[in-house]
Amino acid sequence: MRDLLPEAAAAEAWVIETHGRVAGLFGYLPIAPPIVEYAELFERGVGTGTDIVEKEMYAFDDRGGRRLALRPEGTAGVLRAARTGGLCDDGSAARLFYSGPMFRYDRPQAGRYRQFSQVGAEYLGETSPHADAEIIELGFQVIRAIGIEDAHVELNSLGSAAERQDYRNRLREFYAAHVNELCADCQRRLDDNPLRLLDCKKDAELASHAPLLSSAWSSESRDYFEAVCSSLSDANISFRHNERLVRGLDYYAHTAFEYWHSSLGGAQNALGGGGRYDGLAEVLGLPPTGGVGYALGVERLLMVTADTHGAPGGRGAEVVVCSVSTAEGSAALALARRIRSAGIAVEADASRRKLDGKLRSAHRHQARIAVIVGESEVATTTAVVRNLGTREQRTVPWDELGATIAHELHQEKSL
Ligand code: AMP
């Protein structure tokens, strides 16, 4: 778990804000379930057979003896909150977005942390392929708004639950003939979750000869998949059908996707992913609710984008008011208050340091203007406004400080 110092914290806040802005353009509303839930929500919602629940979940008993967990992902909590809060009760759909920290006891490495942030969206109560396409497009537009132009979507369909059962049996038959060649993890998974063998890195060569998921699709599933593809083409989103992309849980249906970027190394390093989870609500004991959603990793997005578009990144205020000696301390604070009320970011430096030192550190923190107030300025209710770039300075009455500084900053910006 990392500390986010000002530059990193500002960049993450900017991603979260950008996500909310783009989601708002698609009509999505914010939702914020708690970070701590009953562990059972994730055991059921993510699945006891998954690495996330088996090996990575921060679960603990609270003082009341309840088994709780820090959320490892967002979908189960959003669905629970939406349905227990009465959304979708009248049969209408709900478009929701969220952001915040997630926790997984993952093996720490580049781009993989035990506390990380996700931004995500869920479209609940709608089961048409257009909902899947809308969700994929929204995630894609968020990635673009972050300044990443060359991501693409890896897309697959898991078919219906019955088709997946049929496919599972075929997979078991295929792998049964190769049991001795499989890695230990895959041997263990073969019985209860053979789909997961398809994305094993160690057994990739064998997986390339396995039967294809699409061979088990019904014509309805094929039509559904094609409808999603055609919607994505209309939206100008580059995508690729990836037969190996799976989500091995029973309540997933049809669409599964990931956003990939070439600078990240493939499946394990996607910018984000998602899919349709029509059976999830029932698994959680909620009224049946179709849904589709995505989650994007905030740190991953920031690894790929070079430009954080003016996130204030660790810089201090643009203006610093410096007192010449401690006697003018309260005058410096009062002037800062006055400038701030004109909507300008300003710090007061009423410390005991010498004026030279104050000006040097203002310059270092990339402030653009220093306002200097000494004994004679207090006596004449004026202050010296100094441009730290050009070093020009002039004396200005207190009443005119806000307007003068606003003008000066504006002139610099338009240069
Ligand atoms: P998932 O919920 O596993 O589909 O993850 C969605 C996205 O969250 C991934 O594509 C990553 O961008 C991000 N992510 C997942 N686990 C981690 C982690 N341990 N550290 C940082 N980002 C992560």
Side-chain angles (χ1 to χ4, degrees):
M1 294 180 186
R2 302 171 309 149
D3 294 317
L4 297 183
L5 295 178
E7 195 164 341
E12 291 219 350
W14 169 74
V15 171
I16 289 169
E17 191 189 304
T18 305
H19 180 251
R21 181 173 56 74
V22 178
L25 288 174
F26 280 72
Y28 284 62
L29 301 175
I31 189 164
I35 289 169
V36 178
E37 299 263 7
Y38 285 110
E40 197 190 356
L41 179 78
F42 304 114
E43 284 159 0
R44 291 206 207 174
V46 183
T48 39
T50 59
D51 281 353
I52 292 184
V53 167
E54 237 172 41
K55 303 183 192 159
E56 298 172 2
M57 200 155 73
Y58 283 89
F60 58 95
D61 291 336
D62 77 355
R63 289 172 189 272
R66 288 170 285 243
R67 230 177 91 70
L68 305 179
L70 302 183
R71 64 179 180 197
E73 59 94 45
T75 302
V78 167
L79 182 56
R80 180 202 56 66
R83 292 304 332 232
T84 54
L87 305 185
C88 307
D89 277 0
D90 59 357
S92 61
R95 291 176 164 96
L96 304 165
F97 73 91
Y98 64 89
S99 63
M102 307 291 160
F103 301 84
R104 295 182 195 174
Y105 196 80
D106 229 331
R107 197 162 58 84
Q109 52 192 294
R112 213 164 258 285
Y113 310 100
R114 289 180 174 166
Q115 176 178 334
F116 58 97
S117 291
Q118 284 184 342
V119 290
E122 314 290 348
Y123 189 167
L124 306 180
E126 175 58 58
T127 52
S128 94
H130 298 297
D132 308 46
E134 176 178 301
I135 274 287
I136 296 173
E137 181 179 357
L138 169 53
F140 199 76
Q141 294 304 352
V142 170
I143 292 171
R144 275 200 185 141
I146 300 298
I148 302 169
E149 293 291 342
D150 45 354
H152 77 273
V153 175
E154 295 273 312
L155 182 70
N156 200 10
S157 167
L158 305 171
S160 68
E163 289 154 32
R164 221 157 42 252
Q165 193 51 45
D166 171 39
Y167 178 64
R168 241 183 236 122
N169 294 336
R170 285 197 226 172
L171 266 189
R172 278 197 201 98
E173 274 167 33
F174 167 81
Y175 279 112
H178 303 277
V179 168
N180 297 330
E181 302 160 44
L182 293 173
C183 73
D185 275 344
C186 285
Q187 288 190 358
R188 189 167 51 80
R189 287 170 185 153
L190 181 55
D191 266 343
D192 51 305
N193 206 347
L195 284 177
R196 293 196 53 204
L197 272 62
L198 292 178
D199 59 8
C200 172
K201 287 252 165 73
K202 291 183 204 139
D203 295 325
E205 160 61 19
L206 194 52
S208 68
H209 302 293
L212 297 176
L213 232 169
S214 57
S215 65
W217 291 352
S218 63
S219 60
E220 288 81 21
S221 290
R222 185 168 299 278
D223 289 350
Y224 195 102
F225 181 72
E226 280 166 8
V228 175
C229 291
S230 112
S231 249
L232 292 181
S233 302
D234 288 348
N236 241 335
I237 290 168
S238 63
F239 66 94
R240 189 177 78 102
H241 181 189
N242 177 348
E243 290 262 11
R244 311 267 153 231
L245 188 74
V246 291
R247 308 216 143 206
L249 298 170
D250 283 339
Y251 51 78
Y252 281 109
H254 301 296
T255 311
F257 60 93
E258 284 183 343
Y259 301 100
W260 281 14
H261 189 268
S262 55
S263 71
L264 300 167
Q268 292 305 310
N269 286 307
L271 291 165
R276 175 161 283 286
Y277 46 82
D278 289 345
L280 175 59
E282 282 133 297
V283 170
L284 298 178
L286 299 164
T289 314
V292 59
Y294 68 78
L296 298 171
V298 172
E299 290 80 4
R300 296 280 169 82
L301 292 169
L302 287 169
M303 272 168 76
V304 174
T305 191
D307 182 359
T308 51
H309 298 256
R315 261 195 274 139
E318 290 181 310
V319 179
V320 180
V321 182
C322 304
S323 56
V324 175
S325 77
T326 47
E328 298 86 34
S330 4
L333 296 187
L335 291 184
R337 218 170 283 131
R338 193 186 272 258
I339 297 164
R340 201 171 290 128
S341 70
I344 297 166
V346 55
E347 268 168 51
D349 189 346
S351 65
R352 291 178 204 285
R353 287 186 307 162
K354 292 224 162 58
L355 182 61
D356 266 3
K358 293 182 184 185
L359 291 174
R360 266 200 305 278
S361 64
H363 196 61
R364 210 169 36 245
H365 293 128
Q366 299 177 40
R368 311 230 306 273
I369 290 173
V371 175
I372 302 160
V373 56
E375 197 181 347
S376 60
E377 284 78 24
V378 171
T380 52
T381 63
T382 60
V384 174
V385 174
R386 180 177 168 101
N387 185 315
L388 292 168
T390 62
R391 298 183 175 217
E392 281 166 22
Q393 60 181 51
R394 60 196 159 117
T395 301
V396 176
W398 287 355
D399 286 349
E400 290 167 26
L401 271 178
T404 307
I405 291 169
H407 181 72
E408 184 109 358
L409 289 173
H410 180 73
Q411 265 198 330
E412 269 202 13
K413 277 189 184 130
S414 53
L415 277 181

